[in-house]
Amino acid sequence: MEFNEVINKRRTSREWSDQEVDFETIKRILAAGMKAPTWDHYRNWQFIVLHTKEEKEKAFAYAKYIADKFDTGRYENRKLNLAQEMYAYAMPRQYTMLVNCPYVIVPLFKCSRLNGEWVSKLNPLTSAWCVAENMMLAVINEGLGYSLRIPLNKEHDIVLEKLGVPKGWMTPCFIGVGHPKEEERILEQYDSSPEGHIHMGGWRRK
Ligand SMILES: Cc1cc2nc3c(=O)[nH]c(=O)nc-3n(C[C@H](O)[C@H](O)[C@H](O)COP(=O)(O)O)c2cc1C
């Protein structure tokens, strides 16, 4: 696929067809992740790949708890902005968007404790996000779709413990990979044009 086509086609998917994904495709996606820029040159990232339904159900039980307790009624019969519409659509799907696709990738980076005092202190996490973004774009390039969940607070440790990850490793996110359902609703987005976001030479008040 041409680069701009990948950029323009990228979106987050949350519903899947039953079609399988070839493991060779997953390996190409992981290879794209490994090509990401890195803060320390080592590229010491690891990837847990979940494929069976049992593995995914076990790993993401906490996401099920969150999706199940989400009160959809809270958003009914009121005017929502686009961000609220997205939230109301995405929240009930936080578990199914992971367990119903063929593969979930859990990228891991070495870090015992996050330190957000300065942006540079977050370089291990930031590099892991570069890995994640490379993989998301590679997924689109393969003609597939991805779902993305960031573990909510303690969900991070719960999932990594279930996956047997040793202490000293963290994940930025869980990435589901599959064939998006053709009829999936595509929600309207805010304008992504850079017009109105550019400040030539320094910050300018509008
Ligand atoms: C840092 C980050 C965290 C996100 N967390 C979640 C998440 O936990 N669950 C989810 O369904 N989508 C999540 N998303 C996806 C956003 O909802 C999505 O990117 C946004 O609504 C724009 O839609 P698009 O990706 O289809 O362009 C996340 C995206 C980013 C960049």
Side-chain angles (χ1 to χ4, degrees):
M1 222 182 261
E2 195 258 324
F3 179 71
N4 280 315
E5 198 184 344
V6 174
I7 295 290
N8 291 328
K9 278 198 169 159
R10 189 216 56 78
R11 66 180 179 87
T12 311
S13 298
R14 297 184 183 84
E15 297 211 340
W16 308 104
S17 79
D18 294 333
Q19 214 180 320
E20 247 306 336
V21 170
D22 182 1
F23 189 63
E24 287 306 310
T25 309
I26 297 295
K27 286 209 272 191
R28 286 195 295 276
I29 292 164
L30 297 174
M34 286 300 295
K35 289 257 159 72
T38 169
W39 72 291
D40 68 350
H41 302 271
Y42 288 117
R43 292 201 161 75
N44 191 11
W45 304 304
Q46 306 292 319
F47 302 90
I48 293 185
V49 179
L50 304 176
H51 188 43
T52 71
K53 191 115 184 154
E54 297 72 47
E55 287 167 351
K56 290 176 275 177
E57 284 173 353
K58 184 175 166 210
F60 303 120
Y62 195 84
K64 181 172 182 359
Y65 161 74
I66 286 179
D68 287 351
K69 85 170 180 161
F70 180 70
D71 175 15
T72 43
R74 205 168 108 197
Y75 289 97
E76 274 165 17
N77 305 318
R78 50 180 274 223
K79 178 103 185 86
L80 303 179
N81 67 31
L82 298 183
Q84 290 167 327
E85 289 239 21
M86 174 61 79
Y87 190 70
Y89 174 77
M91 279 308 288
R93 292 172 171 79
Q94 293 304 291
Y95 173 68
T96 50
M97 73 181 192
L98 293 173
V99 295
N100 290 348
C101 62
Y103 284 97
V104 178
I105 300 171
V106 181
L108 297 162
F109 64 99
K110 239 180 157 98
C111 184
S112 300
R113 213 180 122 258
L114 284 179
N115 175 351
E117 189 187 357
W118 297 101
V119 288
S120 60
K121 301 263 189 211
L122 290 170
N123 280 350
L125 171 66
T126 310
S127 297
W129 268 107
C130 294
V131 174
E133 176 69 355
N134 261 23
M135 291 197 291
M136 292 186 262
L137 294 176
V139 168
I140 303 300
N141 185 51
E142 295 286 348
L144 300 169
Y146 73 85
S147 58
L148 177 69
R149 177 161 176 79
I150 283 58
L152 181 68
N153 304 339
K154 66 181 180 180
E155 181 185 359
H156 177 276
D157 294 5
I158 292 172
V159 173
L160 293 204
E161 197 184 327
K162 283 192 181 190
L163 295 174
V165 176
K167 292 265 177 262
W169 290 88
M170 289 186 176
T171 184
C173 58
F174 314 133
I175 303 173
V177 182
H179 292 267
K181 205 177 197 169
E182 273 184 28
E183 328 74 271
E184 183 178 9
R185 189 176 148 209
I186 297 183
L187 281 87
E188 194 186 339
Q189 299 278 344
Y190 290 110
D191 178 25
S192 63
S193 146
E195 296 303 325
H197 296 257
I198 302 170
H199 302 255
M200 295 296 288
W203 185 271
R204 300 267 183 272
R205 251 189 291 160
K206 308 253 163 55

